Amino acid sequence: MSPYSPDQRRPGVANKIRRAVVGAPKQLNDPTLFHRMSLIPVLAWIGLGADGLSSSSYGPEEAFRALGSHTYLAILLGLATAITVFIISYAYARIIEVFPHGGGGYMVATHMLGQRAGVISGCALLVDYILTITVSIASCADALFSYLPLHLHHYKVPFACLMALMLIILNIRGLKESIYVMAPIFIVFVIMHLTMLLDGVITHRDRFGPLAEEFRRGLDYDLSTMGFVGIALLFLRAYSLGGGTYTGIEAVSNSMQIMREPRVKTGKRTMLYMATSLAFTAAALFICYALLGVKPIEGKTLNAVLADMLFSDWPLGGAIAFVTIFSEGALLLVAAQTGFVGGPRVMSNMAVDSWLPHRFAALSERLTMRNGIFMMGGAAIALLIYTSGSVSALVVMYSINVFVTFTLSQLGMSRLYLKRRDKDPKWMQHLSVHLVGLALCATILVITTVEKFTEGGWLTLVITSLVIGLCYLIRSHYLRVRKGIAELDETLLDFPTSGPVNTDPLNPNDSTAIQLVTSYNGFGIHTLLSVLTTFPETYKNIVFVSVAVIDSGSFKGVHEMEALEDSVREGLEKYVDLARRLGFAAEYRMATGIDVVETAIKLCREIAEEFPRSAVFSGQLTFRLEKFYHRLLHNETAFAIQRRLQWEGITTVILPIRVKV
């Protein structure tokens, strides 16, 4: 049974506008729902790989600039970058195999290194995804404004904020829908950049000889002046500051829930597409920078300078260069999509584990994590305004956090394969990959943090630390509440009964108590006993009502939804058994839905029509001292249902359940 959505019950112009903006609701009883919402490898590459591919727009540039006058090292830097991309991608392919339901770095750290490492990884990843959105949009604005007069550049930040709002709306409509909108941009980017890079390498292949000679002379000179150690430190610094190139590689492992079955195969193929395209693009850019001797020009990205140089001799070369860089800027906008996909999923996983408010695990009628999308988009807009859209500042903040997660993930996987050495014959092969990945990621993390600490890196660490501290406060509150509810369970779950069991069917003319319950627990039993003691000798029938709420934790496939429904049904049967043992005629009603309020109201309305002499009862947690954060951490479901049902003339009573915290 599926609930009516709010859209189905709100006629009028306002609803038509709302539906036009965010789209029509999806129906849970659609048997093809999961298949239609899941992504094949190519679409996943567009939706999740755009972040990695677009990082070639700023990662290689940052690394190349860090070389200064030692540009002869660019070829080695390109080779090292491509190798690193494949190593990290291969390591994350292993994570996909071990954690096929998603969660990526958060799940690896939580299960292999403990909850403390998990919350650090999750918070770092969460801040990283906010920065993914911010730096992608800021880079998009930079690329697009490269072809506008300098006096118009002060409009970049308002333009970037407008793009962020557009992405919020697109993602509320649904992931697949937003990918379809952005797919043409991705295709144009691939075609134009492939053309540009192949032109740069093939038509300038005669310069490889002079470039090799330049490499030899530069290396000889630097060895005589700064020594091998100096060259190595310079190279490591540039390599590390180009760490933004690798951002986005983790996105597939975080979002396995949206992959088409077989998920692992789809995820690994997506990783292959992502790694190959990113490694080729980044390495080719370094080669072209070196071959053509690209130099920075104020107001232009290095890629814009490169496009102008390569297409200057082409017919309509200026227009082609513009389209190339425009597609780059547009792809950066598509790359922000990864933050809107991965960020809410990280928040959802952490909400399920009580590190964040539980409402972040909820789904909208479009089956999107709307609360997380709003939070990610709002935080990105705030960062755009705070940094004035500075890509340099944002990339520093960005690359630090992503390598916190990378490092913890590689450490966790290394520990996993050490534990499996007696069971997995290939444990040494897998372990070696993760150890190399760990060394690379830790090196980049340390150098980037030290090098850029005073240039904005400190702000990343402060923000991430504050988020971690907030998560601990939230979890400690939930644990205290859980402890109080556990005391109810311990007292009431084995509630003794005496007397004969009532096996009579319900009489529609008798007075009926409709009780809203969740799982079978002390909270629900306490509410039942409160109804019976507060209104003695009043009710003959009891109808238990529960909603199998589909959230991001259960919305993974048909089997997970069936397991959720079976669990809810089992709890309701226990309530019915208890009520009948207490001497009442009892039965249950249930439905599956996303919005518990709408679903419960529909059920209660149907039951009230069947049993005219009825009243609805529900329990609500009550604290000794109400704090401002209680409404954020605990839903107001009971009050929302009460307001709606009372407006429709159905008596609704909320019974307080006191919990000591």
Side-chain angles (χ1 to χ4, degrees):
M1 186 183 299
S2 63
Y4 294 125
S5 72
D7 282 350
Q8 292 170 302
R9 304 183 65 248
R10 292 188 209 141
V13 177
N15 178 55
K16 290 180 180 178
I17 295 174
R18 179 175 180 272
R19 180 172 291 195
V21 174
V22 302
K26 289 184 169 68
Q27 300 299 322
L28 286 173
N29 58 357
D30 183 355
T32 66
L33 179 63
F34 286 99
H35 182 79
R36 290 191 296 105
M37 290 186 65
S38 61
L39 302 180
I40 60 175
V42 172
L43 289 179
W45 178 39
I46 295 172
L48 300 173
D51 179 27
L53 190 55
S54 70
S55 64
S56 63
S57 302
Y58 48 82
E61 177 171 343
E62 290 291 319
F64 188 76
R65 287 176 181 270
L67 290 176
S69 60
H70 309 272
T71 55
Y72 68 90
L73 291 171
I75 299 296
L76 291 181
L77 200 54
L79 179 62
T81 299
I83 292 173
T84 304
V85 168
F86 281 115
I87 289 174
I88 296 177
S89 298
Y90 181 81
Y92 269 92
R94 302 269 72 77
I95 292 177
I96 288 172
E97 290 181 350
V98 178
F99 297 93
H101 292 295
Y106 171 71
M107 287 297 183
V108 174
T110 299
H111 289 279
M112 301 313 307
L113 302 176
Q115 291 184 341
R116 292 181 180 179
V119 72
I120 292 172
S121 179
C123 290
L125 198 55
L126 182 59
V127 175
D128 170 62
Y129 276 130
I130 294 173
L131 291 167
T132 294
I133 299 171
T134 312
V135 76
S136 296
I137 293 175
S139 297
C140 171
D142 270 4
L144 296 181
F145 276 76
S146 292
Y147 285 91
L148 294 178
L150 288 175
H151 69 273
L152 294 178
H153 282 211
H154 64 276
Y155 290 110
K156 278 198 297 187
V157 173
F159 175 75
C161 293
L162 185 63
M163 289 192 293
L165 288 173
M166 183 192 74
L167 284 172
I168 290 172
I169 294 172
L170 275 177
N171 280 277
I172 289 174
R173 290 182 66 89
L175 172 61
K176 204 166 187 177
E177 290 79 356
S178 63
I179 290 175
Y180 282 141
V181 171
M182 297 178 177
I185 298 173
F186 187 89
I187 294 170
V188 171
F189 172 91
V190 170
I191 293 173
M192 298 307 297
H193 280 69
L194 185 62
T195 302
M196 180 180 73
L197 296 174
L198 289 178
D199 176 64
V201 174
I202 295 173
T203 63
H204 296 81
R205 60 185 180 275
D206 58 317
R207 299 189 184 183
F208 276 103
L211 184 62
E213 180 61 25
E214 180 186 342
F215 178 86
R216 186 189 63 78
R217 288 198 310 267
L219 184 61
D220 289 343
Y221 178 79
D222 284 344
L223 283 173
S224 63
T225 55
M226 54 195 299
F228 177 79
V229 174
I231 295 174
L233 291 175
L234 172 67
F235 182 84
L236 277 176
R237 179 177 180 273
Y239 169 76
S240 298
L241 294 182
T245 307
Y246 317 113
T247 54
I249 293 177
E250 81 294 339
V252 177
S253 67
N254 289 327
S255 305
M256 288 297 293
Q257 300 96 326
I258 63 175
M259 298 294 170
R260 179 71 55 86
E261 294 286 358
R263 286 179 182 170
V264 172
K265 184 178 179 180
T266 301
K268 292 175 70 174
R269 183 171 296 178
T270 304
M271 286 294 302
L272 178 61
Y273 293 166
M274 182 190 298
T276 304
S277 58
L278 177 57
F280 169 80
T281 305
L285 280 171
F286 280 114
I287 294 172
C288 288
Y289 291 161
L291 283 176
L292 279 77
V294 175
K295 303 293 183 185
I297 296 177
E298 184 181 0
K300 289 199 171 198
T301 64
L302 286 186
N303 288 359
V305 176
L306 178 63
D308 287 340
M309 295 174 68
L310 287 172
F311 294 124
S312 60
D313 297 331
W314 285 43
L316 301 176
I320 296 174
F322 173 77
V323 172
T324 301
I325 301 306
F326 183 87
S327 71
E328 184 175 286
L331 184 74
L332 285 161
L333 185 62
V334 178
Q337 177 72 12
T338 303
F340 281 109
V341 174
R345 293 191 181 280
V346 173
M347 298 178 78
S348 170
N349 288 327
M350 296 181 71
V352 170
D353 292 339
S354 296
W355 289 112
L356 289 175
H358 291 159
R359 65 184 62 212
F360 284 115
L363 297 172
S364 71
E365 69 269 17
R366 293 287 305 166
L367 301 180
T368 59
M369 286 166 277
R370 183 169 55 194
N371 294 329
I373 291 170
F374 280 132
M375 178 68 73
M376 301 297 292
I381 290 173
L383 268 178
L384 282 168
I385 295 172
Y386 175 77
T387 61
S388 299
S390 170
V391 175
S392 297
L394 289 167
V395 166
V396 172
M397 298 169 66
Y398 185 33
S399 53
I400 287 177
N401 256 28
V402 74
F403 279 97
V404 170
T405 299
F406 279 175
T407 302
L408 289 174
S409 297
Q410 302 311 314
L411 181 61
M413 292 300 291
S414 297
R415 185 178 183 189
L416 171 67
Y417 285 110
L418 280 174
K419 288 184 174 181
R420 288 186 173 183
R421 60 185 180 273
D422 295 331
K423 301 177 182 178
D424 189 343
K426 295 184 178 180
W427 72 274
M428 181 58 75
Q429 173 186 331
H430 298 324
L431 176 63
S432 62
V433 172
H434 290 293
L435 287 177
V436 171
L438 174 62
L440 293 175
C441 293
T443 299
I444 295 173
L445 174 62
V446 171
I447 292 176
T448 304
T449 303
V450 172
E451 185 72 26
K452 294 294 186 178
F453 183 81
T454 58
E455 298 180 26
W458 65 271
L459 183 59
T460 306
L461 300 178
V462 168
I463 293 174
T464 307
S465 298
L466 289 175
V467 175
I468 292 171
L470 179 63
C471 287
Y472 269 100
L473 290 175
I474 292 171
R475 184 174 171 83
S476 65
H477 172 80
Y478 279 133
L479 289 177
R480 291 196 300 272
V481 171
R482 193 177 300 169
K483 181 180 178 181
I485 294 177
E487 292 176 358
L488 285 177
D489 291 345
E490 185 178 350
T491 304
L492 297 176
L493 280 182
D494 295 325
F495 185 78
T497 59
S498 59
V501 176
N502 188 332
T503 59
D504 297 335
L506 276 67
N507 185 345
N509 296 319
D510 287 343
S511 56
T512 303
I514 305 170
Q515 183 182 337
L516 300 173
V517 297
T518 54
S519 58
Y520 186 73
N521 53 31
F523 186 95
I525 297 173
H526 188 288
T527 304
L528 172 62
L529 297 179
S530 296
V531 172
L532 302 182
T533 55
T534 306
F535 304 95
E537 308 287 332
T538 302
Y539 297 103
K540 305 296 183 182
N541 302 329
I542 300 177
V543 179
F544 296 97
V545 175
S546 189
V547 178
V549 182
I550 303 297
D551 60 14
S552 59
S554 55
F555 190 67
K556 297 177 180 178
V558 175
H559 296 301
E560 287 79 2
M561 289 179 62
E562 290 176 349
L564 172 66
E565 292 173 348
D566 290 342
S567 175
V568 171
R569 187 177 294 106
E570 181 182 352
L572 285 168
E573 290 171 350
K574 291 180 179 179
Y575 278 116
V576 170
D577 177 67
L578 175 60
R580 288 190 176 277
R581 284 189 284 115
L582 290 171
F584 296 90
E587 63 180 42
Y588 71 83
R589 305 289 172 84
M590 66 172 286
T592 301
I594 297 161
D595 188 327
V596 64
V597 174
E598 294 293 336
T599 311
I601 287 172
K602 177 180 181 293
L603 282 174
C604 291
R605 189 187 301 115
E606 292 173 350
I607 298 170
E609 291 176 358
E610 184 179 351
F611 299 91
R613 299 175 58 196
S614 61
V616 177
F617 295 89
S618 63
Q620 176 68 37
L621 284 177
T622 302
F623 302 95
R624 184 184 299 275
L625 295 174
E626 288 288 338
K627 301 293 180 63
F628 70 93
Y629 53 81
H630 285 156
R631 289 190 177 183
L632 176 64
L633 299 181
H634 301 279
N635 59 53
E636 301 286 306
T637 302
F639 295 112
I641 292 173
Q642 183 187 52
R643 286 192 295 269
R644 293 278 297 277
L645 290 178
Q646 287 185 339
W647 175 256
E648 297 185 18
I650 300 174
T651 302
T652 308
V653 180
I654 296 178
L655 299 170
I657 308 296
R658 292 178 294 178
V659 176
K660 297 178 181 179
V661 296

